[in-house]
Amino acid sequence: MICGLLLVGFFGSDRKVDSLASGGLRVFDGLASLARIVNVFSDVLSYMRLFALGLAAASLAETINSLSGQLNQSVPGIGLLVAIFVLVVGHAINIGLGLIAGCVHGLRLNVIEFFNWGLKDEGKPFRPFRKEETRL
């Protein structure tokens, strides 16, 4: 574990070391990247929250099914119509909440948390129809 933390601290910066000051700044960058380990834990917990939302939707669907079955058995005659109404409306609400949760929470996690782990300042700007200069 210590070796892994040392590797994270060493490779946590892309600063070139050409002097003692830049070496010290690289060590500081490495220590700052070690502090981001807490961010990894919070990101994992956020994705676990999505899993919990899925479990809650399954539990809600089971409750709707149970409620409509009890309505069908306890009220003779019109209970079947009420049970069908509860099934249709309850599952429609549950599906709507699932669609909203999947889109909103998924987008939030990808934009706020996942994109923080991407590489910064890489590549070059796209400039179409321009010829690059060749240096001799």
Side-chain angles (χ1 to χ4, degrees):
M1 194 164 139
I2 292 172
C3 188
L5 290 174
L6 287 173
L7 286 173
V8 168
F10 181 74
F11 291 111
S13 174
D14 58 355
R15 187 183 306 267
K16 292 182 181 179
V17 179
D18 52 4
S19 68
L20 186 61
S22 63
L25 288 174
R26 183 174 175 113
V27 170
F28 179 75
D29 290 344
L31 292 174
S33 67
L34 284 174
R36 294 198 64 195
I37 291 175
V38 176
N39 291 354
V40 172
F41 184 68
S42 69
D43 292 348
V44 169
L45 287 180
S46 293
Y47 283 103
M48 287 177 64
R49 183 173 45 92
L50 280 182
F51 179 70
L53 283 171
L55 286 176
S59 178
L60 183 60
E62 184 180 351
T63 303
I64 291 167
N65 290 339
S66 172
L67 182 62
S68 64
Q70 290 173 0
L71 281 170
N72 186 24
Q73 291 175 358
S74 65
V75 181
I78 199 163
L80 180 64
L81 293 174
V82 174
I84 291 173
F85 178 76
V86 167
L87 272 176
V88 169
V89 171
H91 286 301
I93 290 172
N94 195 14
I95 289 171
L97 287 173
L99 289 173
I100 290 170
C103 292
V104 171
H105 291 293
L107 285 172
R108 179 194 159 274
L109 285 175
N110 283 328
V111 170
I112 293 176
E113 294 171 359
F114 182 70
F115 287 152
N116 285 333
W117 296 102
L119 299 175
K120 313 249 186 308
D121 299 334
E122 65 179 17
K124 59 182 181 178
F126 177 67
R127 293 192 177 97
F129 307 116
R130 290 190 183 168
K131 188 175 183 181
E132 289 190 27
E133 296 178 18
T134 57
R135 296 181 184 180
L136 298 176

